[in-house]
Amino acid sequence: MLLIAGILAVPAPALDRLDFSVAGGDDGLEKTVRAASLLLTQQADGATDPQDLFAAARADYARILGALYAKGHYSAVISIRIDGREAAGIAPLNAPGRIGTITVSVDPGPPFAFSRAEIAPLPPETRLPEDFRPGKPAYSTAISGALDEATLAWREAGYPKVATGAEDIVADHARSTLAADIRLAPGPKLRFGPLTVTGAKRMQAARIVKITGLRQGEAFSQSELDRAANRLKRTGVFRSVTLTEADFPVAGDLLPIGVTVVEEKLHRYSVGAEIASLDGLSLSGYWLHRNLFGGGERLKIDAVSTNIGSGQSGIDYSLGVTLDRPATLSPDTTASLSALIGHQDEVDYAADLAEVGLSFRHYFSEQLSARVGIAYEYAEGSDPGGKFHFRSLALPLGVTWDRRDSSVDARKGFYLDAAVKPFTGFGTTGSGARLTFDGRAYRSFGAEDRITLAGRLQAGAILGSDLLDTPRDDLFFSGGGGTVRGHPYRSLGIAVNRGFGPDFLIGGTYMLAASAEVRARVTETIGIVGFVDAGSIGVNDFFGDLGDWHAGAGLGLRYETGFGPIRLDVAAPIHGKTGDGVQIYIGLGQSF
């Protein structure tokens, strides 16, 4: 009897069947409606609890209706029946203890168009989005988007207290049209008032105010408020930054601003590794100290070691120290002091390097920045032709324009970096300029943008300095993961001699490298890549008689980790004499 009672006590499955239909035959609209349904989400998650299913059913009326409004359907009929009873008619306190069948039927009705689309008043020269016009599909998102644009325009014009005064939105079901008439109340024109800082512990409040760049008495601007928040985030000192406006102005038209920050941990550590079958193991790491003197300064010590276990050359290593200080000279300018020592043990030469410099980076926006600096560079070593000694004073300049959607796994946008480094040599070191360019572009298409085309072009040139008089580290090589996969690291250069002894390899004064990839996401975490790379090295020009070029191609596998894909590339040479056989590359992030 106890056994029978136990069997009878086992609950039956809470849901036998969920039927979901959308009338009209519009696949895109049906996909939108199904994506909005909480019932379908719970079914996919295996939920069976009657209380949860009942709550999801009642919530689906509003969720589905909102999805239909977003697509311009305002005459929808939605029916959600639980075992034959309409879910909206079941009292919450009388929720069913068991659910067998749920039937969802949605009749979207006809699509509506705008018969009237007006938001007023507006600041001069304000243009609302093109999809908010009479005759256009009456998407609710078009209304909210236009309202956001109008509100932003008033805030940018100095009216931060703009509000919606009245909304008159009327659907004409007989004509399938929607009339939207929204009135705004701009409020008074205000200026930035005093800044109050909360949440700072180690960071000086005065430095936070200076970094924001907001000046009391200047006209209020939404873009300036956003830039102030971005300046604070850019320092890397804060975990979160929030700027809030007071409810009421003071002293007439001054609007106080509250700055609330949460500081990051004082220290940060990072390590990285990349391995290639012929190039060996590369290790990198850094130690970061935030807010060194209480003014947002960052001290970074980083170390790099490459070619560990390489069969082609010895181990290269370097140790660098950098001290950054934000808001130096201007709120958008970061000053950096840096020093570096290192050693290069290449196939045909070995050298000890040292460098010390001061630089300034100015941020015109979050995507566009420029840099200028001064640096003293030193190199001493030897090659088969004898010993060499280089000393130079350089003035590096550069511009970076980064419009990628992600720095580790870009799917759209572009990245451009151009630099020129004039240098004056001392002793036997030549004088001239080193020019470099790095351009990358990305475009995705297909369902959910699962296919990405990625391209990269690199170029470099040394002007004014002879080949043998140019510091070895300024010359250009090709080969390896950063240029041409399938060929060993720095395997393509220029064979020279000093008039006696055998030829030995050094870099060239001109370089071109191009890469193309087709990236396909197979699942949310797995991706495959096909790629081809090519590079050339020259002396007198990009394609001179003393130059040469090589190429490689291969396939890759990507595994998404949440902080960047793990990369596995297998490549082989397809042109040139510097590579022989398959090479394997493993690292974090896309190749470019």
Side-chain angles (χ1 to χ4, degrees):
M1 294 296 294
L2 290 176
L3 178 60
I4 295 174
I7 294 175
L8 293 176
V10 176
L15 181 62
D16 297 329
R17 191 173 75 251
L18 171 59
D19 296 329
F20 199 106
S21 63
V22 180
D26 187 330
D27 292 340
L29 184 61
E30 181 174 354
K31 184 177 180 181
T32 299
V33 171
R34 294 178 70 91
S37 171
L38 188 58
L39 276 170
L40 291 177
T41 300
Q42 289 201 353
Q43 183 189 44
D45 293 339
T48 59
D49 183 76
Q51 294 288 342
D52 292 340
L53 292 171
F54 176 64
R58 291 179 62 88
D60 263 4
Y61 289 102
R63 292 172 65 93
I64 294 174
L65 191 63
L68 291 171
Y69 282 179
K71 290 297 185 179
H73 292 262
Y74 297 90
S75 295
V77 177
I78 303 170
S79 175
I80 304 176
R81 293 183 172 275
I82 298 177
D83 291 329
R85 300 164 59 195
E86 194 68 36
I90 302 175
L93 296 179
N94 193 28
R98 182 190 181 280
I99 295 177
T101 302
I102 299 178
T103 303
V104 180
S105 61
V106 179
D107 182 358
F112 280 53
F114 285 117
S115 60
R116 179 180 176 86
E118 185 174 341
I119 298 178
L122 295 173
E125 300 183 3
T126 300
R127 291 183 58 85
L128 295 179
E130 290 296 326
D131 57 358
F132 187 68
R133 295 282 189 276
K136 294 287 187 178
Y139 301 147
S140 64
T141 52
I143 301 175
S144 59
L147 182 58
D148 290 343
E149 288 288 333
T151 301
L152 179 60
W154 277 115
R155 289 177 62 83
E156 188 64 23
Y159 295 81
K161 296 305 179 182
V162 58
T164 302
E167 293 184 11
D168 188 12
I169 301 176
V170 179
D172 186 338
H173 295 274
R175 295 180 174 86
S176 298
T177 60
L178 188 76
D181 188 0
I182 301 174
R183 299 289 133 179
L184 296 179
K189 188 171 185 177
L190 302 177
R191 297 178 295 160
F192 284 116
L195 270 67
T196 303
V197 177
T198 57
K201 297 180 180 179
R202 296 181 298 270
M203 187 75 168
Q204 302 167 14
R207 279 290 293 163
I208 292 178
V209 172
K210 183 176 181 180
I211 293 171
T212 65
L214 297 180
R215 296 183 180 180
Q216 183 171 324
E218 289 187 346
F220 181 93
S221 165
Q222 181 62 54
S223 60
E224 283 302 313
L225 194 69
D226 293 339
R227 291 188 69 183
N230 288 332
R231 289 176 185 128
L232 291 171
K233 295 173 184 177
R234 192 189 302 142
T235 65
V237 174
F238 306 107
R239 184 176 306 167
S240 67
V241 174
T242 305
L243 271 64
T244 56
E245 308 149 24
D247 293 332
F248 303 100
V250 298
D253 62 348
L254 295 180
L255 184 64
I257 303 295
V259 183
T260 303
V261 297
V262 177
E263 295 182 0
E264 282 278 13
K265 293 181 179 180
L266 195 60
H267 298 135
R268 180 179 177 180
Y269 311 85
S270 177
V271 293
E274 185 168 338
I275 188 169
S277 53
L278 290 182
D279 303 339
L281 176 67
S282 297
L283 298 176
S284 62
Y286 68 80
W287 175 84
L288 180 68
H289 184 109
R290 296 185 176 93
N291 203 18
L292 185 63
F293 304 119
E297 304 86 1
R298 295 194 305 170
L299 176 66
K300 184 178 181 181
I301 301 175
D302 58 273
V304 178
S305 182
T306 61
N307 297 337
I308 302 172
S310 170
Q312 307 294 314
S313 61
I315 298 175
D316 299 344
Y317 55 84
S318 66
L319 178 66
V321 179
T322 304
L323 178 63
D324 294 332
R325 184 180 187 270
T328 302
L329 303 181
S330 82
D332 290 307
T333 306
T334 297
S336 298
L337 276 171
S338 61
L340 179 142
I341 58 173
H343 176 78
Q344 289 186 340
D345 189 353
E346 302 302 332
V347 176
D348 291 293
Y349 77 90
D352 294 317
L353 312 173
E355 180 180 338
V356 61
L358 170 66
S359 64
F360 298 88
R361 180 181 287 271
H362 184 80
Y363 294 88
F364 298 99
S365 68
E366 292 306 299
Q367 293 81 33
L368 182 63
S369 65
R371 57 194 183 275
V372 61
I374 185 170
Y376 176 78
E377 300 174 351
Y378 172 92
E380 183 176 7
S382 62
D383 55 34
K387 294 183 178 181
F388 57 78
H389 188 194
F390 295 108
R391 294 172 296 154
S392 62
L393 186 65
L395 184 68
L397 309 164
V399 177
T400 302
W401 191 12
D402 190 351
R403 295 294 302 272
R404 296 173 295 178
D405 59 339
S406 169
S407 60
V408 295
D409 189 10
R411 296 178 183 173
K412 60 182 178 179
F414 61 85
Y415 171 92
L416 299 174
D417 184 87
V420 56
K421 185 179 75 171
F423 60 90
T424 298
F426 304 104
T428 59
T429 307
S431 299
R434 185 179 196 263
L435 289 74
T436 58
F437 172 81
D438 186 0
R440 314 173 193 182
Y442 310 86
R443 184 176 181 180
S444 296
F445 57 92
E448 300 181 352
D449 287 341
R450 287 187 173 271
I451 305 296
T452 300
L453 302 181
R456 183 182 190 183
L457 175 65
Q458 300 178 78
I462 302 290
L463 305 179
S465 179
D466 292 336
L467 180 65
L468 294 177
D469 295 336
T470 303
R472 293 289 186 269
D473 200 40
D474 281 340
L475 297 175
F476 302 103
F477 288 89
S478 180
T483 50
V484 179
R485 288 161 286 186
H487 291 262
Y489 176 66
R490 295 167 67 107
S491 57
L492 181 61
I494 302 297
V496 300
N497 62 57
R498 298 181 188 273
F500 57 88
D503 289 351
F504 57 93
L505 194 71
I506 65 172
T509 52
Y510 287 83
M511 181 272 289
L512 278 177
S515 297
E517 291 191 350
V518 179
R519 304 170 182 171
R521 286 183 293 152
V522 180
T523 68
E524 292 302 315
T525 57
I526 301 296
I528 56 175
V529 175
F531 59 86
V532 60
D533 304 331
S536 70
I537 299 294
V539 177
N540 298 317
D541 53 40
F542 290 108
F543 302 103
D545 294 338
L546 295 178
D548 199 0
W549 73 283
H550 59 179
L555 297 173
L557 182 67
R558 305 290 185 265
Y559 179 78
E560 180 57 52
T561 62
F563 51 85
I566 296 175
R567 179 178 77 255
L568 170 63
D569 287 337
V570 180
I574 58 175
H575 180 83
K577 302 177 181 179
T578 60
D580 183 17
V582 171
Q583 294 203 51
I584 299 174
Y585 305 86
I586 300 175
L588 181 63
Q590 296 286 1
S591 56
F592 61 88

